[in-house]
Amino acid sequence: MNQPTQTTPLVQLHGVSKFYRTDSVETCALDAIDLQIDHGEYLAITGRSGSGKSTLLSVLGLMEPFDHGDYRFAGRSLAGLDARAAASLRGRQIGFVFQFFHLIGDLSVADNIGLPMAYAGADRAAIKKRVEWLAERLGIGHRLGHLPGQLSGGQQQRAAIARALANDPPLLLVDEPTGNLDSESGAEVMRLLAELHREGRTVCLVSHDLSLLGDASRRLEMRDGRLLPAAVASSDRR
């Protein structure tokens, strides 16, 4: 897939719905979502627990399928994409940063960061060079030989961000990035995300913490599986 241009919306959702079903209950997690994320934007989505914001992020990141509607990434419709094709696109075009880091405990920090490149078929020399550059860029170059459990929470989140950037994806999806961090480490991570955005990265962040939304260029609120217009959500452009 070609990298998106400045004039092509990076993400377009049209009427996207997602349901969770049991034998007797059907729950609508996403209710006919319309959303556009432009290249280079920093979008923040807030909402209470259970509002659907994490489900939305999972759908955007091709971690979960949707039931109705259309999802276009860089102009390409992803409706009906099979699991293998979704995994390939996700690995190359979308980076994830999770609240719980999701680093592999028995792999070194270097191997954790380089894992997306290895899955994409990059050679060892390219992986090593990229990993070392990212680690230095994120201030954990001295920790590459350590295991994740030997790092502080802030360092683990930096390693997770480095892993998300390994394949230089155009879209960075961030889910409650400071939820497991102390206030100082959390502030450092948020400053880093803002810096990445200023450098041209497209960021979509979800959080229930309104204090994290100050650097966003656009804010939306999620409620009962629906996205509220910016004016209703008291959003402002900075």
Side-chain angles (χ1 to χ4, degrees):
M1 178 184 295
N2 293 329
Q3 290 291 331
T5 66
Q6 292 285 349
T7 58
T8 303
L10 187 56
V11 167
Q12 293 171 293
L13 301 185
H14 300 289
V16 168
S17 297
K18 170 71 178 177
F19 299 91
Y20 293 110
R21 300 177 176 90
T22 66
D23 291 340
S24 58
V25 177
E26 179 178 88
T27 302
C28 181
L30 300 178
D31 187 2
I33 297 291
D34 292 327
L35 175 66
Q36 177 172 308
I37 304 175
D38 292 325
H39 185 78
E41 187 174 10
Y42 189 158
L43 172 65
I45 300 173
T46 188
R48 295 179 178 178
S49 178
S51 62
K53 60 188 188 299
S54 290
T55 300
L56 176 59
L57 213 65
S58 293
V59 168
L60 287 172
L62 303 177
M63 300 291 286
E64 293 190 53
F66 53 94
D67 294 295
H68 302 293
D70 188 34
Y71 175 6
R72 292 182 177 272
F73 190 93
R76 172 190 174 187
S77 177
L78 305 184
L81 201 67
D82 64 37
R84 184 171 183 175
S88 176
L89 189 150
R90 180 173 62 244
R92 295 175 182 275
Q93 302 291 325
I94 302 171
F96 278 92
V97 180
F98 302 97
Q99 175 179 351
F100 296 101
F101 318 135
H102 293 315
L103 299 170
I104 299 174
D106 58 355
L107 292 183
S108 69
V109 171
D111 287 340
N112 268 281
I113 296 172
L115 202 58
M117 295 184 70
Y119 283 142
D123 63 61
R124 290 185 179 182
I127 293 173
K128 183 175 185 296
K129 182 178 180 180
R130 177 72 173 167
V131 167
E132 290 177 350
W133 185 87
L134 283 168
E136 290 298 329
R137 168 73 175 74
L138 288 145
I140 53 170
H142 61 301
R143 292 296 209 174
L144 285 176
H146 291 73
L147 296 176
Q150 297 173 309
L151 274 59
S152 68
Q155 289 171 336
Q156 288 187 64
Q157 193 61 292
R158 285 173 175 268
I161 293 172
R163 179 187 58 193
L165 297 173
N167 283 327
D168 197 23
L171 178 61
L172 191 62
L173 300 177
V174 186
D175 191 3
E176 301 284 5
T178 66
N180 278 338
L181 302 179
D182 59 69
S183 57
E184 182 178 352
S185 296
E188 290 178 356
V189 166
M190 294 309 299
R191 284 194 293 270
L192 175 58
L193 291 173
E195 186 175 336
L196 291 170
H197 169 249
R198 287 193 296 271
E199 293 172 357
R201 191 77 50 180
T202 305
V203 179
C204 179
L205 176 147
V206 302
S207 179
H208 68 278
D209 187 349
L210 296 176
S211 69
L212 302 185
L213 309 186
D215 290 307
S217 53
R218 182 163 59 110
R219 308 178 199 174
L220 296 174
E221 180 183 353
M222 196 145 199
R223 188 182 300 169
D224 299 327
R226 298 178 179 178
L227 278 176
L228 302 182
V232 177
S234 299
S235 173
D236 62 295
R237 298 191 70 85
R238 292 166 63 89

